[in-house]
Every structure is written in C-alpha cells, then in structure tokens.
Amino acid sequence: MRINTTKQKLTNGDAVFGTIISEYSPSLVEISGAVGFDFVMIDCEHGSMSVDQVENMVRGAESFNITPIARIPDHSDSTILRFLDRGIQGLIIPHVNTAKQAEGIAKASRYFPDGHRGIGGGRPHNYGASVPRSQSTKFINDNILVIPMMEEIESVQNLSDIISVDGIDVVHVAPGDLGQSMGNASQKDVRAVMDDIVPKIRAAGKWVGV
C-alpha cells in the first residue's frame, strides 16, 4: 500500500511527466525514478512483458518512488485484475470508444462500493499483514488512476458521454491511432481535433494525458 504520488500531484494542480518502457527492465524503471520522472508507463499492449515480469518492474518503481502505470492489452475484468494485483497504481486502457466501455473499466478497477474488483490479499494489501481489508480496499480505490485511451474517431464522437463517467480519472489522447482512424489524417488535422477535445476534457473535471 503506497500513496499514488502522481495522482497526489495531479490533485494539487501540478503537471506530471513520465516515460514509456516496452521491454522487461526493472533497472530502467529505477533510472526513470532516479532522474525525476513522476511515473513510468509499462507497455504491455505493444510490449512483450508478462505479468510476473511486470511485478518486478513494480518493485523497481517502489524502490525509487515512481508511480507504476501499465498499458494493458484489453478491457477484460480478468486482465485488469491481474495487473492491479501485481501492485500497478494506474491502468492505461486502449481503444475505449463508448461510455459503457469506460464505465466497465472503472468498475473493474475498484473495490466495492465503487466497483466490483475481486479481492485478493496480495501485494496491494501488504499481504493482509498490516491493516484490515476494509481500510486497504478504500485506500487502494483512492490511489488508483484509471486512464482510458481516446484513439479512435468514435471516441471523439462519444466524448461527452465518456467524460461524464464516474471513476475515470485521466483521458489519454493518442494522436497516432487517432490519426489512423481519421483516414491517416495529417498531423495538422489531428492536432486540430486535439485542440478541440482537450479543453472539453479538462472542463469536465478530468485530467488529460498527451
């Protein structure tokens, strides 16, 4: 059980900065913390890492006080659960195009009463050795970052519905796939869409990742 320092900084109104790691290397996570990044995004969508390797990457993050966030391969409850049970403090979920999908990932990422995440007694709960589960579940709920990716034009069309979903903390706008979904649009055209939607996300009280 650790305070999510990245979420804490966002709550205080600060910008946060991180880097992407797509190969198994706990030392790169530690270096990222040592040089002052706020978070590391462990890429398990395009990367090759297994969940046991992710757990060691999380240990590296914890030792250097950097927030471990994972980009996971799909929306399923079982995938979300397995990554969170390794001690991940934030999830970046690709291709979230509807409010129903956004609500599903928000509920799967948190325990009752905020969601339906299955309860285990492992790393996130300090193995049940220090505090009652009723306290640890609330603490974990409060320190999770749920981050759907907006990377298809369908998600832009459903923007107002997605950003109204409780439990979504950050919306990450991904220009690469967004441009592809726009018919391989130019960088200028993609940027124009981003310039339109980023202020709307912030106005809805959500943080934005770019």
Side-chain angles (χ1 to χ4, degrees):
M1 292 173 56
R2 291 171 178 265
I3 291 174
N4 187 327
T5 54
T6 293
K7 189 171 186 177
Q8 189 178 57
K9 289 180 180 180
L10 288 169
T11 302
N12 291 336
D14 299 327
V16 294
F17 300 90
T19 187
I20 300 173
I21 297 178
S22 57
E23 296 182 358
Y24 177 58
S25 178
S27 61
L28 279 180
V29 177
E30 293 175 339
I31 291 168
S32 299
V35 301
F37 281 113
D38 298 296
F39 67 89
V40 61
M41 191 257 269
I42 303 167
D43 189 359
C44 297
E45 181 192 14
H46 296 286
S48 59
M49 283 166 284
S50 62
V51 289
D52 59 332
Q53 290 175 324
V54 167
E55 188 165 327
N56 285 331
M57 300 277 272
V58 170
R59 290 188 176 103
E62 290 170 348
S63 66
F64 277 78
N65 200 33
I66 184 172
T67 303
I69 297 173
R71 179 161 65 179
I72 61 177
D74 58 62
H75 299 185
S76 72
D77 286 14
S78 59
T79 298
I80 289 170
L81 177 64
R82 293 189 76 203
F83 278 90
L84 289 178
D85 279 358
R86 308 282 76 76
I88 286 291
Q89 290 188 299
L91 293 174
I92 299 179
I93 301 97
H95 301 287
V96 178
N97 295 321
T98 68
K100 183 177 180 180
Q101 291 174 337
E103 184 177 7
I105 63 176
K107 295 292 186 183
S109 299
R110 290 185 173 88
Y111 299 112
F112 179 85
D114 302 320
H116 56 249
R117 174 181 169 182
I119 292 180
R123 300 191 78 253
H125 297 271
N126 290 354
Y127 300 99
S130 57
V131 297
R133 188 171 289 170
S134 59
Q135 293 181 24
S136 64
T137 53
K138 183 182 186 309
F139 180 90
I140 292 166
N141 279 359
D142 291 343
N143 280 276
I144 290 293
L145 281 168
V146 179
I147 310 166
M149 294 187 76
M150 183 164 286
E151 49 187 345
E152 294 183 39
I153 196 65
E154 182 183 358
S155 65
V156 175
Q157 294 164 347
N158 292 324
L159 174 66
S160 60
D161 293 330
I162 292 172
I163 57 181
S164 68
V165 172
D166 290 336
I168 296 302
D169 301 295
V170 182
V171 176
H172 184 82
V173 184
D177 279 338
L178 180 58
Q180 180 175 243
S181 79
M182 294 167 60
N184 291 321
S186 69
Q187 187 179 50
K188 179 180 178 181
D189 288 343
V190 175
R191 186 57 182 263
V193 172
M194 293 176 69
D195 286 345
D196 177 56
I197 63 177
V198 167
K200 292 177 180 177
I201 297 168
R202 289 296 295 124
K206 308 294 187 185
W207 297 304
V208 185
V210 293

